[in-house]
Amino acid sequence: MAAGQGWKAVGVSRPHESAELHVLGQATYTDDIPELQGTLHAALGLSSKAHARITALDLSPVRSAPGVVAVYTAADIVGTNDCGPIIHDDPIWAVEEVMYVGQPIFVVVADTHDNARRAARRALVTYDELPAIFTPQEAKAANSYVLPPMQLKRGDYQAAFAQAPHVVKGQLFVGGQEQFYLEGQIAYAIPKEDNGLLVQCSTQHPSEMQHVVAHAIGVHSHKVQVECRRMGGGFGGKESQSALWAASAGIAASKLRRPVKLRADRDDDMLVTGKRHCFYYEYEVGYDDNGKILAARADMTLRAGFSADLSGPVATRAVCHFDNAYYLSDVDIRAGCGKTNTQSNTAFRGFGGPQGAIAIEYVIDEIARNLGRDPLDVRRINFYGTTDRNVTPYGQEIVDNVIDKLTAELEQTSEYRARREAIAAFNASSPVLKKGIALTPLKFGIAFNVTHLNQAGALVHVYVDGSVLVNHGGTEMGQGINTKVMQVVAHELGVDLSHVRVTATDTSKVANTSATAASTGADLNGKAAQDAARQIRERLAAYAVKLYGDEDGQPVRFLDNHVHVNGHKLAFAELVQKAYLARVQLWSDGFYATPHLHWDAKTMNGHPFSYFAYGAAVSEVVVDTLTGEWKLLRADALYDAGRSLNPAIDIGQVEGAFIQGMGWLTTEQLWWNAAGKLMTHAPSTYKIPGISDCPEDFRVQLFDNGNVEDSIHRSKAVGEPPLLLPFSVFFAIRDAISSVGGHKVNPPLNAPATSEEILRAVSAVEMAA
């Protein structure tokens, strides 16, 4: 009873469902919601110390500031003073002790946003300062962790390492990254009858916001409704860390029984919220004369910040992605979530996967240089196999490996070999400007690595005029989830996309949702919406057969806004009207849970991923060895999106992920001063890529490859995996620096590869050459 041949609503490029509204400035974000009469505005009072006891707190200057209505501290919270997503170690507002510069201590509520923000800075706080830890290296040395360290072992690493003909060992530091969503953190809390509360907020996880707010104000979850129509970007920064803002607004609104809006200014947002985890690595790897890895040990220390937040799952995913696209027979992979007196780091696109995978790529890059071989050849010799060498260190068999085929296609279409020869010729005659090129692959597991989160629900309503309304548990942050879900429902019912509409994510419609994260949004919610639409279609089909008879067991076909049954063709809306009069149910709920997933956190073994997405990219750069400036000349990317639901959206996601990942590895440097204050807390000091950083020659293609798993229409996730593609930029820069020493010296290049870092690496190569 599926749609017939020649017509389809999936697998075709369609504009983002809000594209026109975005262009016209009519798309409603949380701050655009018309404010109710009596709305107040809140601001947070922040710590100025990295680690200290609060010995005195005088808020009288705050209360007497113009426009102030109320000031609240942790003592005013009637429920639970906690917004930690897993471990309850993250207070909404600090009590007695502050753990980082920027930690909220109180909330002030005033008549205007400006008055609230000015008042918050008038607090008189006396501190007794305590020792502080800022870097992952310091945390490791002090044995300071927010969670017990984890370890994944396979084989006999020590024996394999002892027998290896060659060894490479060293250290690497890869910095963190600010999510830098265009729309900052914001929550608008509106009291409802019977102590209820409506919270409109910019969040990737409405259900978690519901739980946190309910616990904070001391009510059951059914008293709190959380709604999010869309976000102006999330990237993981609004998965758990929107809770602080929602709770603060909710507490104030609940106490005052007046609407309260809390909108963070950019500098406050960046001071308060966590980032991508920076990683410090110590590694040693044994390999043979061909570059095949025989034994690998890696010790990764994350800068977790002062609380656990999502650091445990992030570290787990980093450990499970250390292998990237390579078979590692004997491994010892460790990860520790270092406790530091900095913002509590959190989810960021890739969720630890990029940090895990870049370490093995760094090692392979060094092996190739040590052997005088092309890094692509060393990568290829270590690729996972298809019939053997195809089990990951954590025990999952890879059944869909296309990395060799995909890489070979990109190698040919990008003219990699010819360009490498041309670059060698250029560098030989260019003493200052040096070019570099690199091809890097990716393998990325898709699913939450906490099994129970892999579930979703949806509602589909068909109205009497044939129009369709969909609600699901995913959140729209610009990535196109609503468009894809609309396409899935349109395809299932055989109607044009214009007949389908998606409404705001709402905890009163679909309950107990998972975060829109881990690249699972379209996978989970698409399947749930398909399930709901399928039930309606089957009811309509059964009714159509009752009206017009059965065509020798042939299926009733729904396509192109019509229903075909036993030689009859009638408009979808006509059948719907008849079905309504016959009291056929025209709405349904749907549910989906990803099958075959299991994970043992103690042994770090199992089947944590539904499937793998693959990709590869080639980047060519030119570096000025006197200034450290560089430019990306050309980038070629090939990404495995399976049977893409919407190729235009998926290509856009690949392009965006590539540039965002490039920023992480090159320009986006987080810097704390000696007192622990984040100094890069505004666009003036924190450098995300601009349009001038994009390559003039940018070639992105989707790899033709249906998913072996029964994903939604055999598509594959496209949110996080492409962020690994710009590894090729980082290693192209390293390749250019290496040419200064005739490719005989491994440049000690950390990330981000800023101009200063590039110059340090150039100097090191020159001194060693």
Side-chain angles (χ1 to χ4, degrees), residues 188-364:
Y188 185 26
I190 302 166
K192 296 292 185 179
E193 66 178 20
D194 194 24
N195 292 320
L197 198 65
L198 167 63
V199 182
Q200 305 266 8
C201 67
S202 185
T203 181
Q204 296 172 237
H205 202 342
S207 287
E208 185 173 323
M209 300 310 104
Q210 178 189 35
H211 299 157
V212 169
V213 173
H215 292 156
I217 65 175
V219 300
H220 289 299
S221 291
H222 67 227
K223 291 286 185 78
V224 178
Q225 176 188 357
V226 176
E227 181 180 280
C228 177
R229 172 60 184 92
R230 60 172 60 85
M231 286 167 277
F235 308 115
K238 296 175 181 175
E239 180 175 348
S240 63
Q241 300 228 338
S242 49
L244 167 67
W245 313 90
S248 296
I251 293 167
S254 178
K255 284 189 166 294
L256 294 168
R257 306 309 300 167
R258 289 177 65 177
V260 174
K261 179 187 285 189
L262 173 54
R263 173 174 59 80
D265 280 58
R266 180 67 64 179
D267 52 355
D268 285 350
D269 191 326
M270 293 181 72
L271 278 172
V272 173
T273 60
K275 330 294 178 190
R276 180 189 296 282
H277 295 72
C278 71
F279 272 56
Y280 169 69
Y281 312 81
E282 296 177 350
Y283 60 87
E284 58 178 8
V285 174
Y287 58 97
D288 67 16
D289 293 341
N290 294 317
K292 180 181 289 187
I293 294 174
L294 305 175
R297 183 188 67 81
D299 191 329
M300 303 183 278
T301 305
L302 298 66
R303 174 156 42 201
F306 80 98
S307 68
D309 196 84
L310 297 171
S311 292
V314 166
T316 300
R317 187 167 284 263
V319 168
C320 290
H321 281 76
F322 174 76
D323 61 328
N324 195 19
Y326 313 110
Y327 176 75
L328 304 175
S329 59
D330 297 81
V331 297
D332 181 357
I333 309 168
R334 309 182 187 205
C337 302
K339 183 172 184 178
T340 56
N341 295 108
T342 54
Q343 296 82 353
S344 190
N345 285 326
T346 189
F348 196 126
R349 194 175 192 173
F351 203 76
Q355 295 100 309
I358 197 170
I360 196 67
E361 293 295 342
Y362 197 88
V363 166
I364 286 181

Side-chain angles (χ1 to χ4, degrees), residues 478-517:
Q479 84 280 34
I481 185 175
N482 284 346
T483 309
K484 288 184 174 182
V485 171
M486 287 167 60
Q487 288 180 270
V488 167
V489 172
H491 187 84
E492 202 69 18
L493 296 177
V495 298
D496 287 341
L497 194 62
S498 60
H499 294 183
V500 183
R501 180 170 177 260
V502 172
T503 56
T505 312
D506 186 337
T507 57
S508 68
K509 293 181 179 178
V510 177
N512 308 321
T513 59
S514 296
T516 305

Side-chain angles (χ1 to χ4, degrees), residues 412-650:
Q412 182 179 7
T413 58
S414 67
E415 304 171 298
Y416 171 80
R417 300 290 179 177
R419 288 166 63 195
R420 180 166 282 289
E421 291 182 6
I423 286 170
F426 173 88
N427 288 342
S429 60
S430 178
V432 174
L433 298 180
K434 299 291 185 181
K435 289 185 177 182
I437 191 170
L439 189 159
T440 57
L442 73 88
K443 174 185 67 64
F444 196 94
I446 304 299
F448 286 99
N449 50 12
V450 178
T451 302
H452 74 266
L453 297 179
N454 295 282
Q455 58 176 300
L459 293 173
V460 174
H461 294 177
V462 176
Y463 294 101
V464 178
D465 64 354
S467 62
V468 182
L469 191 70
V470 183
N471 189 270
H472 60 86
T475 53
E476 176 64 58
M477 61 195 89
Q479 84 280 34
I481 185 175
N482 284 346
T483 309
K484 288 184 174 182
V485 171
M486 287 167 60
Q487 288 180 270
V488 167
V489 172
H491 187 84
E492 202 69 18
L493 296 177
V495 298
D496 287 341
L497 194 62
S498 60
H499 294 183
V500 183
R501 180 170 177 260
V502 172
T503 56
T505 312
D506 186 337
T507 57
S508 68
K509 293 181 179 178
V510 177
N512 308 321
T513 59
S514 296
T516 305
S519 302
T520 63
D523 282 6
L524 294 175
N525 295 284
K527 277 284 196 178
Q530 183 188 46
D531 179 44
R534 175 190 52 77
Q535 295 175 55
I536 298 170
R537 176 170 53 76
E538 288 176 349
R539 293 185 200 126
L540 288 172
Y543 178 68
V545 168
K546 184 177 180 181
L547 286 180
Y548 299 106
D550 192 355
E551 188 179 359
D552 296 327
Q554 293 298 310
V556 179
R557 294 180 298 143
F558 291 73
L559 63 146
D560 199 17
N561 303 311
H562 287 83
V563 182
H564 301 257
V565 52
N566 197 19
H568 295 269
K569 177 183 177 182
L570 65 160
F572 178 79
E574 182 182 347
L575 178 63
V576 166
Q577 290 162 9
K578 292 177 182 293
Y580 169 72
L581 294 175
R583 296 185 295 180
V584 174
Q585 183 179 336
L586 296 174
W587 63 271
S588 186
D589 63 322
F591 181 76
Y592 178 72
T594 310
H596 314 309
L597 300 179
H598 57 89
W599 178 250
D600 186 330
K602 292 182 179 179
T603 63
M604 299 200 75
N605 205 264
H607 193 287
F609 304 120
S610 175
Y611 61 85
F612 296 96
Y614 301 90
V618 176
S619 291
E620 180 179 344
V621 303
V622 61
V623 173
D624 187 327
T625 59
L626 294 182
T627 66
E629 296 172 285
W630 66 277
K631 186 170 182 60
L632 177 58
L633 302 175
R634 174 179 165 184
D636 297 61
L638 184 60
Y639 181 72
D640 168 28
R643 299 280 181 250
S644 171
L645 292 173
N646 188 318
I649 283 179
D650 286 349

